[in-house]
Amino acid sequence: MFKNKTAIVTGAAKGIGYGIALALAKERTNVVLADMDESANEKSAKEIEKETGSKCVAVKCDVSKKEDVDNLVKTAINEFGTLDILVNNAGIFPSKPFLELTETDWDKVIDVNLKSVFLCSQAAAKVMRDGSKIVSISSIASLVGFEGLTHYCASKGGINGMTRALALELAPKKINVNAIAPGLIGTPGVDAGLNDEAKKQMLTMIPWNRMGLPEDIANAVVFLASPQSDYITGQVIVVDGGWTLR
Ligand code: NAD
């Protein structure tokens, strides 16, 4: 389905981004893995290339920096000639009570989670051809509130709004722009941020009675990156085991 296509996946060194890069590579996509963590990213690119036989390139990139993002897109074009799929996945979720949030805390989360989607999507859309796909990883925190995550909820709500507006602007170029809103997914980021008690408490919120896996999100990304979703644009698709149903 994706033979000879090229994807950029940001935050691909681990967690959901790694799962997405692996799933796209299994579909024969060339994958450019972008991450700030250079050594983990290079290791991940080698692992995925070995497992799938698809070409993988690791690029060190801080997605909140325009210079890094421009270099990322340039590298994808230099290596593979085209850019067909952009997955805006890199993100951070540090928890802090609202009254203790500093301006620096706020700016950091907005820059990494939201400004990055502007920088990457703009740089990519400039070189993408008709039929290309942009998929951003939002969160159910864009739809319901979470204490200690006001800055994060704002950043993910921003992604949803941007997804709808950008889908309109890029429709004439036949570029689909969609987002996925994951629930609780087992990743290194979640392991570092939640203790076992908090995870147990969260499980009671999930009708499916399990945490999601990176593959659960990757499967939705593969669909939104494929021609099978050509008539879907500007949507936020919730993948949360039913968390937000009640
Ligand atoms: P993670 O912390 O396990 O992995 C994130 C990756 O992004 C890391 O490899 C990290 O090095 C990279 N990264 C962080 N800042 C970066 C930057 N400035 N530039 C480039 N790379 C950067 O996180 P995860 O749980 O896999 O989350 C991935 C995405 O999914 C995030 O946008 C997150 O908000 C979203 N999400 C996660 C969950 C969840 O439960 N895990 C739920 C909803 C949404």
Side-chain angles (χ1 to χ4, degrees):
M1 194 154 50
F2 295 95
K3 200 160 189 285
N4 297 325
K5 292 204 170 170
T6 301
I8 287 176
V9 181
T10 69
K14 49 183 176 284
I16 294 173
Y18 182 96
I20 294 168
L22 178 63
L24 288 170
K26 280 183 180 164
E27 298 287 341
R28 321 273 343 116
T29 319
N30 305 315
V31 184
V32 180
L33 292 89
D35 207 288
M36 261 174 52
D37 184 341
E38 190 173 20
S39 60
N41 199 34
E42 278 173 6
K43 188 167 162 271
S44 296
K46 281 198 190 105
E47 260 172 33
I48 294 175
E49 188 164 270
K50 198 167 163 214
E51 183 174 339
T52 63
S54 291
K55 284 188 192 137
C56 293
V57 172
V59 178
K60 182 171 190 284
C61 173
D62 177 343
V63 288
S64 65
K65 301 220 158 70
K66 183 172 173 6
E67 208 185 350
D68 282 16
V69 169
D70 288 346
N71 175 57
L72 169 65
V73 171
K74 211 167 99 193
T75 306
I77 296 293
N78 286 346
E79 288 283 336
F80 299 115
T82 64
L83 175 61
D84 309 280
I85 299 160
L86 166 68
V87 185
N88 291 308
N89 164 76
I92 52 174
F93 32 93
S95 176
K96 208 178 209 189
F98 179 67
L99 294 180
E100 292 169 23
L101 269 188
T102 64
E103 189 179 358
T104 309
D105 294 331
W106 177 270
D107 286 348
K108 173 89 181 158
V109 165
I110 298 296
D111 284 357
V112 175
N113 292 4
L114 181 58
K115 182 176 144 190
S116 63
V117 179
F118 154 60
L119 292 174
C120 293
S121 302
Q122 191 185 58
K126 283 182 180 169
V127 299
M128 279 174 154
R129 303 172 295 180
D130 282 17
S132 297
K133 309 278 186 175
I134 296 176
V135 183
S136 301
I137 305 303
S138 178
S139 167
I140 58 167
S142 66
L143 305 169
V144 296
F146 286 87
E147 289 98 336
L149 287 174
T150 45
H151 48 348
Y152 181 73
C153 292
S155 71
K156 295 298 185 176
I159 289 180
N160 296 3
M162 195 182 148
T163 297
R164 291 184 278 267
L166 190 58
L168 285 175
E169 283 212 30
L170 295 183
K173 270 175 73 91
K174 296 284 172 286
I175 296 174
N176 300 69
V177 185
N178 290 294
I180 292 167
L184 182 65
I185 311 298
T187 65
V190 163
D191 281 343
L194 289 181
N195 60 31
D196 285 349
E197 194 45 46
K199 276 189 214 152
K200 228 164 98 188
Q201 162 69 23
M202 283 188 167
L203 273 183
T204 65
M205 306 288 290
I206 306 172
W208 231 246
N209 200 31
R210 68 164 174 85
M211 287 215 298
L213 302 167
E215 296 93 287
D216 292 314
I217 306 307
N219 290 337
V221 171
V222 167
F223 171 64
L224 288 177
S226 79
Q228 289 180 342
S229 60
D230 275 354
Y231 205 53
I232 301 176
T233 199
Q235 301 306 306
V236 179
I237 300 200
V238 177
V239 182
D240 71 347
W243 180 322
T244 49
L245 292 176
R246 59 184 180 213

